[in-house]
Amino acid sequence: MIVRQFISWVRTASAGERAEATRSLARAWLISDLSEDDRAAAEGALLMMLDDPSPLVRKAMADVFARSGEAPAAIVQALALDQPSVAVSILEHSPLLIDADLVDIVATGDCETQCAIARRISLPASVGAAIAEVGSAAAALELIENPYAELAPFSWDRIVERHGHLAAIRESMLLLDDLPAATRAALVAKLSETLAQFVVARNWLSADRAGRLASEARDRSALNIAARSRGDDMRGLVSHLRETGQLSAGLILRALLSANLELFEAALAELSELPLARVSSLLHDRGSASLEALLRRAGLPESTFAAFRVALEVCHEIGFADSAGTAARLRRRMVERVLTQCETDGNATEQLLILLRRFATESAREEARLFCEELAAEAALARQHHELIAA
């Protein structure tokens, strides 16, 4: 009887009145103890209201049914496909939408609906992959900032590929502690590329100069990332560097001159396609023949063999890096020893000598910076001590 009166009344009521009445009927369907007949009649009336010309009415239903697992499935499906102002609450919260529904809506929906889906709690990897593949930058940002979303490594890489040039995307991703090392390296490469293009467009640097600086910045960043990577994360990083053409002799030599044996071994294992344990055994053999055979199998230039040999000898003398900070910095003593050896070696190419001289300059500046920071810290500590005594 009540439903009949509702159907008769809504024909002449205003949009706001219809919305409030529809909201009340939807709540009654969910929480009231209706008979089977009344429940069926109420559901029929609600289905009819899906055709109401005012979005206020349909939004009222969506707000009531959005979080309920008991809502009428047909109504929820229809509301999910409605205009964004109506659909967003259903898309963000409804437990009745299956993964296939969400993937389809991501593919066909606009930015607002994609963002709503990206905010869902316990978002499965398949839906995250759809957003990474076709979603807008805003949806990708929502996905990155959703702590409940599952994302496969290839989805992270796809976001970087499609949106890594945007500062907001990069900043949000780089704040994540569990971001794969390979993805972090890809983000840094995007940033380097963007900055290089910017300075060239401004005529601040030539294209060649900007490209070289960007390449050096990528190599330093790769060392920083590698210094904090272990196991599968390290192997993933090295594979990424190889695939993108960054696993060069220069980068591998930088790793060794930073005493980062883990990256050095992982890089040679990747290039030589030998097991990591076998590579480690050969490097600890202390024999130059084993090292040269390994470097040759890895495809590194023969002109660099002497540099690698001397660097490895110095590493064995002074020890390898024991912290993330030291594993990311060139060791000045090592660089100077290798440079001296190569300058007297007739097989060293001019290109290698230029690279080593750059390493020498960089390591000297880094050592000076650290020295000055230590002096400043000691001075501050002495000042605090003096003030405490004076007080």
Side-chain angles (χ1 to χ4, degrees):
M1 185 67 170
I2 295 175
V3 174
R4 288 198 189 96
Q5 291 174 347
F6 171 84
I7 293 173
S8 176
W9 172 78
V10 295
R11 299 179 187 279
T12 58
S14 67
E17 291 172 334
R18 296 198 308 276
E20 284 306 312
T22 301
R23 189 190 310 275
S24 298
L25 185 60
R27 284 176 178 164
W29 192 94
L30 277 181
I31 63 177
S32 297
D33 188 16
L34 299 175
S35 67
E36 287 297 323
D37 290 342
D38 286 343
R39 192 174 183 81
E43 184 173 343
L46 291 170
L47 284 165
M48 178 192 73
M49 298 309 292
L50 290 172
D51 295 324
D52 193 286
S54 173
L56 292 175
V57 175
R58 306 192 301 279
K59 186 176 185 306
M61 266 194 290
D63 291 343
V64 174
F65 289 143
R67 299 175 186 270
S68 174
E70 305 298 325
I75 293 177
V76 168
Q77 288 285 342
L79 292 171
L81 299 174
D82 210 315
Q83 66 188 62
S85 64
V86 174
V88 287
S89 59
I90 293 287
L91 296 175
E92 184 172 349
H93 301 295
S94 179
L96 298 178
L97 297 176
I98 64 174
D99 296 355
D101 294 330
L102 297 171
V103 168
D104 183 64
I105 294 171
V106 166
T108 59
D110 61 8
C111 176
E112 193 173 354
T113 57
Q114 290 174 347
C115 288
I117 293 172
R119 290 192 294 268
R120 286 176 68 90
I121 292 178
S122 300
L123 191 71
S126 60
V127 182
I131 295 172
E133 186 64 35
V134 300
S136 64
L141 186 59
E142 293 280 8
L143 185 64
I144 295 165
E145 295 178 347
N146 183 351
Y148 307 104
E150 296 179 23
L151 268 184
F154 68 84
S155 295
W156 286 116
D157 294 341
R158 188 63 175 135
I159 291 175
V160 174
E161 184 180 342
R162 296 183 63 232
H163 306 299
H165 61 287
L166 300 174
I169 295 289
R170 290 195 305 270
E171 290 169 6
S172 294
M173 292 182 74
L174 291 173
L175 288 174
L176 300 174
D177 293 332
D178 57 349
L179 187 69
T183 304
R184 199 174 290 274
L187 275 174
V188 171
K190 277 283 186 181
L191 175 59
S192 300
E193 180 184 333
T194 301
L195 291 176
Q197 292 174 351
F198 176 76
V199 298
V200 170
R202 293 277 181 170
N203 291 320
W204 292 345
L205 292 174
S206 67
D208 289 343
R209 171 74 171 162
R212 183 170 68 79
L213 291 176
S215 178
E216 291 175 355
R218 284 195 299 270
D219 284 355
R220 287 194 294 271
S221 297
L223 261 291
N224 276 290
I225 295 167
R228 293 162 176 79
S229 305
R230 297 291 182 273
D232 290 342
D233 209 26
M234 175 69 83
R235 286 188 287 274
L237 172 62
V238 171
S239 295
H240 166 78
L241 294 173
R242 184 182 187 183
E243 291 169 3
T244 55
Q246 297 179 66
L247 197 59
S248 62
L251 176 60
I252 298 172
L253 184 57
R254 176 186 281 273
L256 186 56
L257 292 174
S258 301
N260 189 334
L261 185 62
E262 288 189 60
L263 177 57
F264 182 60
E265 289 181 347
L268 291 182
E270 173 73 22
L271 292 174
S272 66
E273 299 181 350
L274 290 173
L276 184 61
R278 176 62 176 158
V279 170
S280 180
S281 174
L282 290 171
L283 291 178
H284 285 85
D285 184 27
R286 301 287 184 102
S288 60
S290 297
L291 176 62
E292 288 185 6
L294 179 59
L295 296 174
R296 187 171 287 108
R297 175 161 180 152
L300 297 179
E302 191 168 341
S303 59
T304 64
F305 288 4
F308 281 112
R309 176 177 52 77
V310 176
L312 195 58
E313 288 173 359
V314 180
C315 273
H316 286 305
E317 289 176 15
I318 67 177
F320 296 96
D322 56 1
S323 70
T326 56
R329 295 196 304 268
L330 289 165
R331 300 280 190 93
R332 185 177 182 182
R333 177 181 167 187
M334 293 177 64
V335 173
E336 290 177 347
R337 281 271 298 272
V338 173
L339 177 58
T340 299
Q341 173 66 32
C342 289
E343 283 177 335
T344 59
D345 183 359
N347 292 326
T349 63
E350 188 63 29
Q351 186 176 6
L352 175 61
L353 292 175
I354 290 172
L355 178 65
L356 289 171
R357 288 176 189 132
R358 286 177 185 157
F359 284 172
T361 301
E362 181 183 330
S363 61
R365 293 177 66 177
E366 179 68 14
E367 187 176 282
R369 183 185 65 80
L370 292 174
F371 177 71
C372 291
E373 287 178 356
E374 289 175 4
L375 286 181
E378 289 174 3
L381 187 62
R383 186 166 53 254
Q384 291 175 2
H385 182 67
H386 177 74
E387 290 173 353
L388 285 173
I389 293 176

